[in-house]
Amino acid sequence: MANTTMRAIVAYPKEPGRVEMIDVERPALPAGHVMIAMRDVGTDATDREVIAAEHGGSAPDGGDYLILGHESIGQIAEVGEGVTGLNVGDWVVATVRRPDGCPNCRRGESDMCLWGGYVERGIIGAHGYLTEYVIEKPEFLVTLPPHLSRVGALLEPISINVKAIGQAWSIQRRMLWEPKTALIFGLGSIGILAGMMLRQRGIAAYLYSRSPADSPKARLLRDVGITYIATSDVPDIAALGDHIGRIDFMLEATGAAPVAAKAMGIVQPNAVLCLLSVTGGSAREEVDIAAVNKHLVLGNGVIFGSVNSNAGHFREAVQVLDGFEKTWPGFAERLISRRVPLDRFREGLEDRDEDIKVLFEVSAAE
Ligand code: BGC
Ligand code: ZN
């Protein structure tokens, strides 16, 4: 092989804030694995939290760095001995979490890990995808039809929503529940993709966020039938119920703990709130917990947290993404605000208000 090294974007868990592009050894391909040539890698708030050492961290193999990136799309570059069903050139997306030996992990649900001994590629204890070549086992890969490859990096955030929304719907089998209206907190890729999924289910979706109502990303929502509510129009979260009326399902995806706390106080009778932001650091706020508790008890309210997604959710996400392209052709591509080459990684990691999803272009398709 001509090149024995490859470029990688890495964080240093023991040095919060430090990110570098370094040369690392190009991995060998063991039997039973495939080598993936990474094409696009998405970034999100989790990457910034890992860099800041507010979440995840811990470098693998006794080293001092962690290769970042957990939202990926790549093409099979080489197929290891004994691997069937995958071919050079296939488009694949890798899941994020790798199991420990707990009962949930053993049945393929490492997203529901009981023991907490899992690792997550690009986040904690295992290298991620912000590099040129990645080695993986077929069981952690999902193939994508080529027509979805341009937006394939959205598969991971979609899979997060597939799990979260699926869980909410399973929980609500506890009674007669005919959801008609949903409220999403947060105008990021998770929030928008959730809104699109709910629209696909025929649910009226409202999305609440700080961006001005006439900002380009808020205006984008109209094209997929999501109603935007700016905080400047309804500053008090407690007033959202009066504004919208009956709300059956809420999803918190702002990353702001105070928003999550306020959302807990407005769960309507028989409704469910899904908490989806990993809030790093610490935030203190005075909450009337007696009132929140009483309100939840008297209303049979459910609040639950959801994290990660397994291969099954990724497979369902392929169907969801395909459905998006059929209903709103070309819209998913508009969620990609910027495409940045690997060597401009500092720019790519900047948190800009107008961004929805930023992708690193690691290499071009062959
Ligand atoms: C990722 C998940 C991961 C979670 C917690 C999220 O950004 O999408 O796969 O489990 O962070 O680390
Ligand atoms: Zn486990």
Side-chain angles (χ1 to χ4, degrees), residues 99-102 104-105 110 113-118:
D100 58 16
C102 86
N104 300 66
C105 282
S110 60
C113 180
L114 187 63
W115 294 345
Y118 60 80

Side-chain angles (χ1 to χ4, degrees), residues 119-140:
V119 295
E120 289 182 343
R121 296 202 67 167
I123 300 175
I124 182 161
H127 287 312
Y129 307 129
L130 256 177
T131 186
E132 293 170 81
Y133 293 95
V134 163
I135 302 292
E136 194 48 272
K137 282 190 194 150
E139 65 183 287
F140 301 121

Side-chain angles (χ1 to χ4, degrees), residues 27-36 76-84 86 98 121 134-141:
L29 179 61
H33 292 66
V34 296
M35 187 177 305
I36 306 161
I76 306 268
E78 231 179 294
V79 180
E81 213 186 299
V83 173
T84 53
L86 287 174
R98 297 294 169 266
R121 296 202 67 167
V134 163
I135 302 292
E136 194 48 272
K137 282 190 194 150
E139 65 183 287
F140 301 121
L141 297 178

